[in-house]
């Protein structure tokens, strides 16, 4: 059974940093794409960053570019999101997502294409 477990959320003041970790388990073979999404009240789920697990190639949303970095440790099936220079508008529940290993990585951040999700971790940034 596939499981994604996020950790590392919390409260921080604007300008601060947080590191989110996603531990993946239960995959028979690696998912080709792992991604971080976020959702704040009243808004749609938004893609933040994704990583191609084989190549390590990454893609980050314009809203967080130069502030957030996604990385992976394939051996330990751990994916991290380093968040720096946090802003109040970054406040949201952050979710780790994985693509079915049989599928190809989609372009952009179509949330509906990701089959596996964690329960989310709250990030709160105060001004």
């Amino acid at each position: 059974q596939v499981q994604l477990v996020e950790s590392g959320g919390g409260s921080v003041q604007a300008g601060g940093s947080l590191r989110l970790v996603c531990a993946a388990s239960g995959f028979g073979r690696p998912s080709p794409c792992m991604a971080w999404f976020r959702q704040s009240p009243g808004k749609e789920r938004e893609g933040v960053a994704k990583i191609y697990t084989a190549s390590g190639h990454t893609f980050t949303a314009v809203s967080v570019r130069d502030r957030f970095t996604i990385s992976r440790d394939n051996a330990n099936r751990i994916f991290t999101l380093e968040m720096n220079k946090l802003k109040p508008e970054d406040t949201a529940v952050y979710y780790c997502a994985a693509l079915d290993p049989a599928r190809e990585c989609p372009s952009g951040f179509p949330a509906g294409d990701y089959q596996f999700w964690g329960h989310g971790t709250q990030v709160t940034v105060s001004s």
Side-chain angles (χ1 to χ4, degrees), residues 4 19-25 27 30-31 34 36 51-58 69-82 96:
L4 301 176
R19 182 175 185 260
L20 304 184
V21 176
C22 174
S25 62
F27 285 98
S31 169
M34 299 290 294
W36 286 96
I51 187 165
Y52 295 76
T53 54
S55 67
H57 181 71
T58 64
T69 303
I70 187 172
S71 60
R72 97 283 195 213
D73 176 352
N74 281 346
N76 294 305
R77 303 275 176 102
I78 292 175
F79 302 86
T80 62
L81 184 68
E82 300 278 356
C96 175

Side-chain angles (χ1 to χ4, degrees), residues 50-122:
K50 70 178 180 182
I51 187 165
Y52 295 76
T53 54
S55 67
H57 181 71
T58 64
F59 182 83
T60 51
V62 172
S63 59
V64 302
R65 202 161 289 166
D66 299 328
R67 299 189 298 120
F68 290 13
T69 303
I70 187 172
S71 60
R72 97 283 195 213
D73 176 352
N74 281 346
N76 294 305
R77 303 275 176 102
I78 292 175
F79 302 86
T80 62
L81 184 68
E82 300 278 356
M83 305 186 296
N84 299 309
K85 301 178 183 178
L86 283 160
K87 304 176 181 180
E89 51 263 43
D90 294 320
T91 295
V93 177
Y94 283 71
Y95 298 90
C96 175
L99 200 69
D100 187 292
R103 302 190 64 171
E104 294 185 358
C105 296
S107 60
F109 292 102
D113 282 15
Y114 287 81
Q115 289 75 35
F116 306 106
W117 293 85
H119 291 295
T121 184
Q122 176 71 44

